[in-house]
Amino acid sequence: MRPTIAIAFCLCVGSLVLAPRAAAQTRTLAERLGYPADAKLLIVHADDLGMSHSVNLATIKAFESGLVNSGSIMVPCPWFFEIATYARGNPQADLGLHLTLTSEWTAFRWGPVTSKDRVSSLLDKNGYFYLTESDAAAKADVKEVEMEIRAQVERARAFGIQPTHLDSHMGTLYQSKALFEVFLKVAREYKLPVRVAKTWFSQADFLPSTLSPDDVFIDRTLDINPAVAPEDWAKFYTEALKKLEPGVTEVIIHLAYDDAEMRGATFDHPNWGAAWRQRDLEFFTSDAFRQLLRDEKIKLITWRELGKLLQK
Amino acid sequence: MRPTIAIAFCLCVGSLVLAPRAAAQTRTLAERLGYPADAKLLIVHADDLGMSHSVNLATIKAFESGLVNSGSIMVPCPWFFEIATYARGNPQADLGLHLTLTSEWTAFRWGPVTSKDRVSSLLDKNGYFYLTESDAAAKADVKEVEMEIRAQVERARAFGIQPTHLDSHMGTLYQSKALFEVFLKVAREYKLPVRVAKTWFSQADFLPSTLSPDDVFIDRTLDINPAVAPEDWAKFYTEALKKLEPGVTEVIIHLAYDDAEMRGATFDHPNWGAAWRQRDLEFFTSDAFRQLLRDEKIKLITWRELGKLLQK
């Protein structure tokens, strides 16, 4: 997910309605996971794996640091095969699927896993996914969305990937109740947790009303945004982590090198662009971040742990 | 076309049968183009445009030198949109289509323009084009090949590209008479010349018997091969160009930077790999090559000039 989208989404959708079904759990998620209620639990999650070679290399390097411990894969993208090979070779890695219904870089495009004739509502006039999540959501036939996201899960499984969770590239699957319902339906069938945070409920009332007490949803997500100046990158994350509240937080980051490939892909979009991703890479593989985790008694957990709650 | 394939193809197919139809032209191609029969005419042709950002950037740089004056585009590839934008902005550029039925890099893949359900014979078990031209040719249904190559031409035209010629990535469309026939059929309908050289006739008897006197075919192609040591790159091309015979020659080159993206794509395939392509780029944009053209009185021509013969 590119957080621009999450922000746009958060600003424009509904008001808080906490549904009884989702609120029925009395124990906190931390407690359900076996931690004290006041534990500060963090998933450090890299999005967009498989998109480009640069994203793949940077994310694998970050995984090797031990400080980035989760990520999600874009099955329709050109470099999927590379990250699928990594996933097969590293079955312990906490890798989910970044279900993809958009193709946002103007010079570098991709389209569906499903045969195009069968998912024409997902395609722009050039036969690629739409550039934006709003266009994708506005045009998408929900049955075709279901077909495509199932195809992405099945293709990942066919490649030997056992995903630990599902999320949605650019937040397309949170753009409406109908899209979220089909997302949750597929996730439940595969017994996989989806990226949903309690802090999102106030922005989209269909979230709590669609979730059930048996679903797993985290307490909050944390992501940086274009208002932060490049020189304040480390400061933003450091302050946010120093103020981290108890419970389960997912920090959503975007890793790549600031290299020719990423500059080419993101040339007209500096937000979530090449330099942005290199800054994320540098902070989240730094000794300063490692020390911060120690100082603030933040424990890293994974979606795999959360998923086990669904399999009980 | 990756010349490994051309070589393999050249070594294994048939013996010389010069058909009367193709041999009926009495004037040389150089003469038909308005040059003396002894003119040394050269097309400096970069393959694989659209495959990667690195290929696109390097080829555009080479075009700007004026020393590389032709190229062909892979419509199904992830970076097609980038090179299509260049083509629209540079309508004088001599750009053809590198019709693509293979996806040869193991970590970085692509598939058809046509809806997958309609061209299943072109796809491997993962839904991409086959890795090799021999697999592609062995499995391909010719009707599906026709559908896909027409779709590639039509997509290019829809993007505003007016191709000046057609050729075949990895030589797949020269692997059998049936494939070549459908290739030529489509090319004739669009009144576009295809890459065929007289020197290939001795290796594939279906070529001259399929061509007619109205078709345009060049005298020879020139390409480097893995037997040439990296340090002998400039020497190989220099000697070949010093010995260049009169008539129309196409030197087929492969341009890219030896950068992370290309190393990632070609990591298990040094032939036609990242360093190979950087060597081609360096030689064909060098002052030494420019001087060689002057010294040897070699004139650069384009496929656009050849195509005009078909439109008379």
Side-chain angles (χ1 to χ4, degrees), chain A residues 62-112:
Chain A
F63 284 165
E64 289 169 355
S65 76
L67 294 169
V68 176
N69 69 342
S70 189
S72 55
I73 296 172
M74 299 173 73
V75 178
C77 287
W79 290 87
F80 166 67
F81 217 106
E82 182 175 61
I83 201 69
T85 303
Y86 174 83
R88 278 200 306 277
N90 294 273
Q92 81 294 348
D94 189 50
L95 290 167
L97 302 181
H98 201 49
L99 298 173
T100 301
L101 299 170
T102 47
S103 168
E104 71 272 31
W105 312 112
T106 51
F108 173 53
R109 310 295 308 273
W110 51 79

Side-chain angles (χ1 to χ4, degrees), chain B residues 15-23 180 196 200-202 204-212 217:
Chain B
S15 58
L16 175 62
V17 181
L18 266 176
R21 290 206 311 158
F180 184 67
V196 180
W200 299 3
F201 290 0
S202 62
D205 55 12
F206 62 77
L207 291 177
S209 64
T210 309
L211 293 163
S212 84
F217 41 93

